[in-house]
Amino acid sequence: MNKKLFPSNRRPTIAVTGSAGKTTTKSMIASILRQRWTIYESRDVNNAFINTEKSAKRLRDFHQAVVVEFGIVYFGHIIKHCGFIKPNIGVITNIGTAHIGNFGGDVTKLAAAKSELIQHMDQSGIFLFNGDDDNSKHLLIKSFPGTIIKVGIKNRADYRAETVEYTEGGMKFRVKLKGTHFPFHIPIYGIHNIYNALFAIAIGDLLGFTPEEISRGLEQYNKPVMRMATKKLTNNITIIDDTFSANVDAMKAAIDVLTNVGLNGTKIAVLGDMKGLGVITQEAHKEVGSYAALNKVDYLYTTGELAMMILQAALEQGMSPDNVIHFEQKEKLFQALTNLSPGTTILVKGARKAKMEDVVNFLTARYGDA
């Protein structure tokens, strides 16, 4: 692809959507742009189109760039977002299973709904997508006449991360910019977060920011709460708090983080229900259970009616019944977590409605900050 710089006489107006990683990607982009500019960033948590209408009213001439997050639940939502703020740079992070129940469990319909961003953004602008995400092949990209940018790790891409490694407190990797490989570090765990960072790196580069400015922005970004937040407790116990939301891809990504961060100690996954999955609910929960078993999680604790299916699949994959326990009440779950061995790493994740932060709060109160 021809990676031309964004025209200097236009205000970059960046919209981020996708099934996962929206808020983190938005925050990383905003942090990079703040290294030099005064920007407008949409407020966290509420990404409904009604919030974009409020953002439009808050924009001022002194804002040198705009970074907003577009959430969707049904067809037409992104069209409404674009009616309030029309982006000239669009990002679709990935196509997963979030809200797929509203599209009959059909990933092509979900991709079509996300593709409203491609169709209703500035047609001379820049569109970015994840070249490693298999479901993104369903996006309606071919009709877009503007500049198309692909990010990735596994496959060829315009912005590609190489030599990816887990490091203390985050991830490090290299990206080729203007013919030179530059090292980057993000203060958060997970390969999936490197994809989020790649979108931010690409946009920073296309807007003329230096590798040093981009690197500083990634180090300083405001981490969204309850999203892959790690906390050290006494006895070298580590909590991975990823309780903000849950879908299949996010659950599997969080399990990957657990197995990497907890490499040398006991690894416990505490998982709650996933919501909004419609016809794929059973299949999705079983996929997560199988994944936990195959990725050598030591203990799997589930809570919530739907999460029973996670447990069943883990048992079917050969996890010991002694190590896989379902809890009808969180109080019983808390009792099971009262005597964790030193060096334990514990992942806590579930849908927003599952209120899995209750578990994080219990652990923090029980063991105390390190």
Side-chain angles (χ1 to χ4, degrees), residues 166 188-190 192-193 226-233 236-263 265-274 288-289 291-293 295-303 307 310 323 325 327 330 333-334 337 340-341 343-351 355-364 367:
Y166 275 77
I188 190 170
Y189 290 117
H192 59 296
N193 280 311
M226 299 155 65
R227 293 173 173 94
M228 206 54 66
T230 53
K231 187 184 290 189
K232 282 280 186 189
L233 305 181
N236 196 31
I237 292 166
T238 303
I239 304 178
I240 303 167
D241 174 2
D242 203 30
T243 56
F244 186 80
S245 63
N247 59 62
V248 180
D249 298 323
M251 282 278 205
K252 289 161 75 173
I255 290 166
D256 287 340
V257 172
L258 171 64
T259 54
N260 279 280
V261 175
L263 205 53
T266 302
K267 301 175 289 293
I268 302 175
V270 180
L271 305 180
D273 294 345
M274 297 182 286
V288 169
Y291 197 81
N295 282 270
K296 305 293 188 285
V297 170
D298 296 311
Y299 294 90
L300 174 62
Y301 296 159
T302 58
T303 182
I310 297 176
N323 295 7
I325 305 171
F327 298 90
K330 283 182 184 159
L333 169 60
F334 297 161
L337 299 172
L340 297 179
S341 56
T344 294
T345 302
I346 181 163
L347 164 69
V348 188
K349 186 164 182 63
K355 296 189 175 177
M356 296 301 287
E357 67 270 21
D358 294 345
V359 181
V360 174
N361 294 336
F362 166 78
L363 289 166
T364 305
Y367 294 96

Side-chain angles (χ1 to χ4, degrees), residues 33-328:
L33 302 190
R34 277 199 192 93
Q35 299 303 310
R36 197 192 301 169
W37 293 343
T38 299
I39 71 159
Y40 178 83
E41 178 186 3
S42 62
R43 296 174 186 182
D44 198 3
V45 182
N46 188 351
N47 58 20
F49 58 83
I50 192 78
N51 201 48
T52 302
E53 181 180 18
K54 291 175 184 174
S55 286
K57 293 172 182 174
R58 296 185 189 117
L59 292 182
R60 298 293 180 267
D61 289 343
F62 62 76
H63 289 129
Q64 293 164 280
V66 179
V67 189
V68 290
E69 179 181 335
F70 287 177
I72 76 159
V73 181
Y74 295 103
F75 278 111
H77 283 191
I78 286 183
I79 298 172
K80 291 181 178 180
H81 281 291
C82 291
F84 296 120
I85 295 178
K86 186 168 188 170
N88 45 37
I89 299 176
V91 175
I92 297 181
T93 58
N94 48 50
I95 302 297
T97 54
H99 303 301
I100 200 166
N102 296 335
F103 299 91
D106 187 338
V107 74
T108 61
K109 290 180 180 176
L110 179 59
K114 300 284 188 191
S115 294
E116 291 173 356
L117 176 64
I118 303 169
Q119 297 160 326
H120 293 272
M121 65 178 282
D122 185 328
Q123 296 297 286
S124 64
I126 301 171
F127 171 69
L128 301 91
F129 76 105
N130 181 345
D132 291 349
D133 177 49
D134 195 44
N135 287 335
S136 286
K137 68 179 180 233
H138 299 299
L139 292 170
L140 307 178
I141 296 171
K142 289 180 181 175
S143 60
F144 183 67
T147 302
I148 298 169
I149 298 291
K150 187 190 299 184
V151 307
I153 300 173
K154 302 172 195 168
N155 301 318
R156 289 183 63 181
D158 302 292
Y159 292 86
R160 184 167 176 254
E162 301 174 12
T163 60
V164 171
E165 292 178 53
Y166 275 77
T167 184
E168 185 62 37
M171 311 293 294
K172 64 180 182 179
F173 55 99
R174 297 167 70 82
V175 179
K176 191 175 182 179
L177 300 177
K178 299 177 176 63
T180 303
H181 284 90
F182 289 93
F184 292 99
H185 173 266
I186 52 173
I188 190 170
Y189 290 117
I191 302 291
H192 59 296
N193 280 311
I194 292 178
Y195 289 106
N196 299 335
L198 283 169
F199 287 118
I201 290 166
I203 288 170
D205 185 53
L206 292 164
L207 294 178
F209 284 72
T210 67
E212 293 75 20
E213 288 170 324
I214 294 169
S215 179
R216 199 161 57 241
L218 290 176
E219 290 281 6
Q220 296 172 353
Y221 88 97
N222 293 321
K223 292 191 213 173
V225 297
M226 299 155 65
R227 293 173 173 94
M228 206 54 66
T230 53
K231 187 184 290 189
K232 282 280 186 189
L233 305 181
T234 55
N235 290 342
N236 196 31
I237 292 166
T238 303
I239 304 178
I240 303 167
D241 174 2
D242 203 30
T243 56
F244 186 80
S245 63
N247 59 62
V248 180
D249 298 323
M251 282 278 205
K252 289 161 75 173
I255 290 166
D256 287 340
V257 172
L258 171 64
T259 54
N260 279 280
V261 175
L263 205 53
N264 300 315
T266 302
K267 301 175 289 293
I268 302 175
V270 180
L271 305 180
D273 294 345
M274 297 182 286
K275 304 286 190 182
L277 298 176
V279 295
I280 69 161
T281 295
Q282 182 173 344
E283 172 195 338
H285 284 84
K286 289 200 161 187
E287 187 176 338
V288 169
S290 297
Y291 197 81
L294 294 170
N295 282 270
K296 305 293 188 285
V297 170
D298 296 311
Y299 294 90
L300 174 62
Y301 296 159
T302 58
T303 182
E305 188 180 343
L306 299 176
M308 270 291 289
M309 293 181 280
I310 297 176
L311 171 138
Q312 288 161 359
L315 291 172
E316 287 165 13
Q317 283 292 345
M319 274 193 84
S320 166
D322 294 335
N323 295 7
V324 183
I325 305 171
H326 184 77
F327 298 90
E328 295 290 341

